[in-house]
Amino acid sequence: MRIVIAGGHGQIALRLERLLAARGDEVAGIIRKAEQAADLREAGAEPVVLDLESASVDEVAERLRGADAAVFAAGAGPGSGVARKDTVDKAAAVLFADAAVKAGVRRFVIVSSMGADPRHQGDEIFDVYLRAKGEADAYVRGLDALDWTVLRPGQLTDDAGTGLVRLEARTGRGPIPRDDVAAVLAELVDTSATAGLTLELISGSAPVSVAVKSVAGN
């Protein structure tokens, strides 16, 4: 498979790139800064320098053409202000989804957040973030041309992955190592039977492959 990842230098994306490259997939990661390219090459991914905050749909679609799947794993990050929640967490996700449609890439996985909701109330930065992520999810779920899956991890940690997760429509809150989020994404990209599902993810007792097969109905 050829898989293109938006937010290619993110902590989850770099882990995902290593997993995909190790299993023989062709991986490209979209990054904003040329100086991030070496980290992607080290992970086994092809760096694509493109700023999703200023790129056009056509420019992004050109990078997606020929891909078997697209993963949106970009985020403004915890240190960013309100404006970038809108330009990255929402607008860049919408742009990437539109570009996937234009490029004919049906399989689309978006990394969201537990609690994401376009109707979320509040004016704090985290409230704005949850609203932006919820609006992005709602937009993607409205695109019939995509076989989308929305993944909403719980509290992200840098603990070593255990390979044991809980993946359901509703899990309740809980932590999840970034290693395990990447492992679930690698399985989801490959499992088109999860299309049309919005899934929450926390640490649990099911091996990743079993958890994904279970929600896929296998």
Side-chain angles (χ1 to χ4, degrees), residues 63-79:
R63 304 324 197 272
L64 280 164
R65 223 170 293 284
D68 299 292
V71 178
F72 185 83

Side-chain angles (χ1 to χ4, degrees), residues 4-17 28-32 36 40 48 50 52 71-76 88 92 96:
V4 179
I5 301 169
H9 195 257
Q11 294 186 66
I12 290 171
L14 284 168
R15 288 167 167 83
L16 176 59
E17 286 155 4
I30 295 176
I31 53 176
R32 227 163 29 99
Q36 298 170 334
L40 269 75
V48 176
L50 185 69
L52 293 177
V71 178
F72 185 83
V88 179
F96 197 59

Side-chain angles (χ1 to χ4, degrees), residues 137-211:
D137 293 352
Y139 185 84
V140 168
R141 291 189 298 203
L143 295 174
D144 292 337
L146 295 181
D147 295 328
W148 54 264
T149 302
V150 177
L151 182 66
R152 293 178 167 173
Q155 178 195 351
L156 298 170
T157 75
D158 287 325
D159 297 338
T162 64
L164 298 173
V165 301
R166 185 176 172 194
L167 180 69
E168 297 168 17
R170 291 281 183 275
T171 60
R173 297 195 175 274
I176 181 77
R178 287 179 173 87
D179 286 350
D180 290 333
V181 177
V184 167
L185 286 169
E187 287 280 338
L188 288 175
V189 160
D190 238 2
T191 313
S192 57
T194 59
L197 299 179
T198 299
L199 301 166
E200 294 184 349
L201 173 67
I202 58 174
S203 291
S205 58
V208 167
S209 61
V210 171

Side-chain angles (χ1 to χ4, degrees), residues 2-6 28 30 46 48-52 54-70 92-106 108 146:
R2 175 170 172 79
I3 299 148
V4 179
I5 301 169
I30 295 176
E46 165 202 340
V48 176
V49 181
L50 185 69
D51 188 348
L52 293 177
S54 59
S56 69
V57 170
D58 286 339
E59 286 173 320
V60 182
E62 191 54 41
R63 304 324 197 272
L64 280 164
R65 223 170 293 284
D68 299 292
V94 167
L95 173 75
F96 197 59
D98 285 343
V101 171
K102 184 152 198 168
V105 181
R106 288 203 64 92
F108 191 94
L146 295 181

